[in-house]
Amino acid sequence: MGAGRVAVLVAVGAAALGACRGTLQLTESDHADVLAHQVLEVPHPADSGRYAVGALYYGSGSDRRRAEFRDSVAFRTPTVDASKLVDLSRYDEDDRNEYWGFSPDSFPLNARVWYPEGEGPFPLALIVHGNHDMKDFSDPGYAYLGRLLASRGFILASVDMNFVNGSIREENDGRGWLLLKHLEAWRAFNADPANPFQGKVDLDRVAIMGHSRGGEAVGHAAAFNRLRHYPDDASLEFDFGFGIRAVVAIAPVDGQYLPTGRKVPVEDVNYLVFHGSHDGDVTSFHGLRQWHRVSYTDPTSDLFKASVYVYRANHGQWNEVWGAHDNGPRSPRILDLRALLEPEEQRDFARIYVTAFLEATLHEDERYLPLFRDHRVIGGWLPETMYVTRFQPASFRALADFEEDIDVTTGSAAGVTLAADSLEVWKEGRLPLRSSNRASTSASQENQAAWLGWNREIQDRPDDELGAPGSFTITMPENLSREWGVGQEWTLDLAVAATPRTPPRRGPEDRANEDRPNEDATDGWTDPEGATQDPVDLSVELEDARGRTAKVALSGYGPLRRPLEMRILRRGDREKTRFDEPWELILQGFSVPLAEFIRATPELDLTALIHVRLVFDRSTSGEIVVDDIGLSHVDPAFLAAQVPAS
């Protein structure tokens, strides 16, 4: 069953509502089909491990507002001078300093810690909250992750940064720097014979995780970890160099801090980002922008990046303190909370993905890798909702990522060309976001893609008399696949989403694409409001130098959907005023093992590939957006579990 548009009726009395909210409109869930398999045979990542769990606090020992960091610290930490990174001069500085009892030149290093009771050494993970009411303390909200991870052999410290919360802005570089100062403290703990963590911390296996503004800050921390100077004031020297292997961003903002006026690049870390469709605070998937900026210098490394868009998840339920109130106390009056996943369902997703990510990257347990390539392999574990996922290993080599120029006929690798046949739409453009966020004025994913549309129906012809299927062809230079060493341990990767639009019928002459205007014209287009459209599917075809071809259905390797519908505000008029569309265009990643093409055509020569072709032969009409078409050499562990292709 395809995911179609449906109005879900919720019977609630008008008196209880306090205002008319109308029907709850959601995309009909296809989870019964998509999550029908449990292929991965490993211990459930949300199950407790074999270690008993201990807990303690560390901090200043003199905190005016936090008794646990005053009276209950197991050991004391020094203060740090963050005055070059956090400026309170525009934000009621005197009142804030009076409330906390300290200013940015003497910020404390406070954290609550969950740890495995054992000899170690154990990998270390830090997690930091984002912006919230500074008097409603956020750091206890990740206890559910702390207890679980500690039982599985990780040390987790939930870092207190409530003193940089509230109405201040442009402080995310400070949040990232503070994380690294905590790692400096852990380096001292590990070396101190008087400290209970002496010799128990593996500082070559470190993860940093952040939520909301903290989700942006972990990217800054990963970048600062490699720098020698603070970009905005080189007199502040850095000497970090920690073994940060993994970065997790939970519903992050992006672009609040712009060193030298540019977005922060991140290199050579494993990166996981996830975001909820019904996020009432960060209302677009801004984390995709950082995901695209994560790059790898060594294509032979085992590093990777992954993203997950979770339908019906919100912003706050990743934190047990924040809950459903993405807009603070006003949330029940402003936000329509009826669509949300149950809090424990949402946190179960976090338990599964965060734990599996750390098991794979810090414990190097390769058994968990397949779920990042294809979430369907753990269909029996996941909460019953819909997910849009992306995966890209360091070995990915782009044939067409549409970033290189404004020529629609050129690919990304040298000598690669692009061509289309019998398409109503062929253009390139920037992927949009549903809305901008306060951290950035750009309602864009800051990433280019291609729009391809087709309609095989012909004007003045019977509906069953269809024209030839359209196609989009990537032509590779001769010997390129041989030079890259392409073989059956490689995958063909691409990211695709269907749009809600359907191009008009072809003209009676069934003209080829080059005879049509390549414009975003809307005459004759359909975008049926409230209607269920036919599913979209297509074939992916490989052709070698001798003309031998092999073809598979793209839908066999993941869900190919139109955008998932969401409405987050109680008042429909405000929803329409604030958002151009009731959905966000998030592309689904597909990773097709080249062995699947050999299974279809055993004589296909993968070392002599000439064409990669998208053939629009499985749906009469539709429009897709496609990005990041390329080839990857993957560790066999990534392919160890697969959902049978339909």
Side-chain angles (χ1 to χ4, degrees), residues 134-277:
M134 70 178 186
K135 300 178 183 179
D136 184 26
F137 308 129
S138 300
D139 51 293
Y142 308 105
Y144 71 101
L145 288 174
R147 293 186 294 265
L148 173 62
L149 291 171
S151 77
R152 298 180 70 102
F154 303 93
I155 300 169
L156 180 74
S158 181
V159 172
D160 165 32
M161 293 192 195
N162 292 281
F163 43 83
V164 293
N165 277 358
S167 60
I168 67 173
R169 298 284 183 268
E170 300 176 358
E171 83 297 344
N172 275 356
D173 51 335
R175 293 178 191 263
W177 178 84
L178 281 167
L179 278 175
L180 295 170
K181 301 304 284 187
H182 275 265
L183 287 179
E184 283 188 340
W186 277 95
R187 180 187 283 156
F189 303 162
N190 199 43
D192 183 359
N195 192 286
F197 290 114
Q198 191 268 332
K200 293 190 175 184
V201 188
D202 187 346
L203 290 170
D204 290 325
R205 298 174 186 273
V206 174
I208 51 176
M209 307 189 290
H211 180 190
S212 193
R213 292 196 194 182
E216 178 181 325
V218 291
H220 304 336
F224 288 175
N225 190 52
R226 297 170 174 268
L227 298 180
R228 301 294 297 174
H229 300 271
Y230 176 43
D232 292 347
D233 184 345
S235 68
L236 178 58
E237 297 184 356
F238 292 164
D239 185 20
F240 298 119
F242 295 103
I244 297 174
R245 296 192 181 192
V247 177
V248 180
I250 304 170
V253 300
D254 181 63
Q256 191 226 49
Y257 170 60
L258 298 171
T260 69
R262 290 173 284 190
K263 296 290 181 68
V264 172
V266 174
E267 285 186 346
D268 296 336
V269 294
N270 297 291
Y271 186 80
L272 171 66
V273 60
F274 51 90
H275 192 98
S277 64

Side-chain angles (χ1 to χ4, degrees), residues 64-65 93-102:
R64 176 182 295 182
R65 299 297 173 182
E93 179 177 15
D94 292 340
D95 290 343
R96 291 179 64 92
N97 293 345
E98 173 62 25
Y99 177 82
W100 288 108
F102 51 78

Side-chain angles (χ1 to χ4, degrees), residues 565-580:
E565 187 163 357
M566 86 283 282
R567 287 174 171 81
I568 64 172
L569 301 179
R570 282 171 57 100
R571 289 184 52 175
D573 57 339
R574 290 183 177 177
E575 183 90 24
K576 291 181 178 179
T577 298
R578 184 172 178 186
F579 303 110
D580 291 335

Side-chain angles (χ1 to χ4, degrees), residues 120-453:
F122 300 108
L124 172 65
L126 304 184
I127 189 167
V128 63
H129 57 84
N131 195 39
H132 189 66
D133 181 348
M134 70 178 186
K135 300 178 183 179
D136 184 26
F137 308 129
S138 300
D139 51 293
Y142 308 105
Y144 71 101
L145 288 174
R147 293 186 294 265
L148 173 62
L149 291 171
S151 77
R152 298 180 70 102
F154 303 93
I155 300 169
L156 180 74
S158 181
V159 172
D160 165 32
M161 293 192 195
N162 292 281
F163 43 83
V164 293
N165 277 358
S167 60
I168 67 173
R169 298 284 183 268
E170 300 176 358
E171 83 297 344
N172 275 356
D173 51 335
R175 293 178 191 263
W177 178 84
L178 281 167
L179 278 175
L180 295 170
K181 301 304 284 187
H182 275 265
L183 287 179
E184 283 188 340
W186 277 95
R187 180 187 283 156
F189 303 162
N190 199 43
D192 183 359
N195 192 286
F197 290 114
Q198 191 268 332
K200 293 190 175 184
V201 188
D202 187 346
L203 290 170
D204 290 325
R205 298 174 186 273
V206 174
I208 51 176
M209 307 189 290
H211 180 190
S212 193
R213 292 196 194 182
E216 178 181 325
V218 291
H220 304 336
F224 288 175
N225 190 52
R226 297 170 174 268
L227 298 180
R228 301 294 297 174
H229 300 271
Y230 176 43
D232 292 347
D233 184 345
S235 68
L236 178 58
E237 297 184 356
F238 292 164
D239 185 20
F240 298 119
F242 295 103
I244 297 174
R245 296 192 181 192
V247 177
V248 180
I250 304 170
V253 300
D254 181 63
Q256 191 226 49
Y257 170 60
L258 298 171
T260 69
R262 290 173 284 190
K263 296 290 181 68
V264 172
V266 174
E267 285 186 346
D268 296 336
V269 294
N270 297 291
Y271 186 80
L272 171 66
V273 60
F274 51 90
H275 192 98
S277 64
H278 285 66
D279 192 313
D281 185 356
V282 184
T283 54
S284 285
F285 195 171
H286 283 252
L288 282 176
R289 304 200 294 210
Q290 180 67 82
W291 188 90
H292 283 288
R293 296 198 302 274
V294 173
S295 62
Y296 300 106
T297 58
D298 180 4
T300 67
S301 75
D302 58 1
L303 300 171
F304 68 94
K305 56 184 179 179
S307 75
V308 189
Y309 186 65
V310 184
Y311 193 50
R312 297 172 48 224
N314 81 332
H315 192 74
Q317 290 179 167
W318 308 116
N319 181 302
E320 291 176 296
V321 173
W322 293 4
H325 293 178
D326 289 359
N327 278 116
R330 302 180 305 156
S331 290
R333 298 196 304 272
I334 295 174
L335 301 178
D336 189 344
L337 306 179
R338 295 172 295 171
L340 299 185
L341 292 173
E342 290 299 318
E344 281 306 300
E345 288 183 302
Q346 186 166 328
R347 288 192 281 272
D348 275 344
F349 169 85
R351 290 183 181 99
I352 291 167
Y353 262 80
V354 169
T355 302
F357 186 65
L358 298 191
E359 291 283 7
T361 59
L362 300 189
H363 279 162
E364 297 183 1
D365 190 338
E366 295 181 342
R367 297 176 299 169
Y368 289 96
L369 292 175
L371 72 89
F372 299 102
R373 190 183 74 89
D374 185 351
H375 71 285
R376 299 176 303 155
V377 302
I378 56 168
W381 292 347
L382 290 171
E384 294 181 348
T385 186
M386 293 183 283
Y387 306 88
V388 185
T389 63
R390 295 283 295 273
F391 162 78
Q392 196 172 99
S395 65
F396 175 76
R397 299 191 181 206
L399 296 171
D401 63 14
F402 311 104
E403 301 290 340
E404 66 285 339
D405 54 37
I406 61 171
D407 186 344
V408 296
T409 68
T410 57
S412 303
V416 171
T417 60
L418 313 177
D421 179 59
S422 300
L423 294 183
E424 274 59 53
V425 179
W426 174 22
K427 66 175 184 177
E428 296 179 11
R430 180 164 286 193
L431 282 164
L433 286 174
R434 185 174 186 235
S435 69
S436 61
N437 194 56
R438 287 175 298 182
S440 173
T441 58
S442 172
S444 162
Q445 296 182 29
E446 298 178 355
N447 177 54
Q448 301 290 118
W451 273 253
L452 307 173

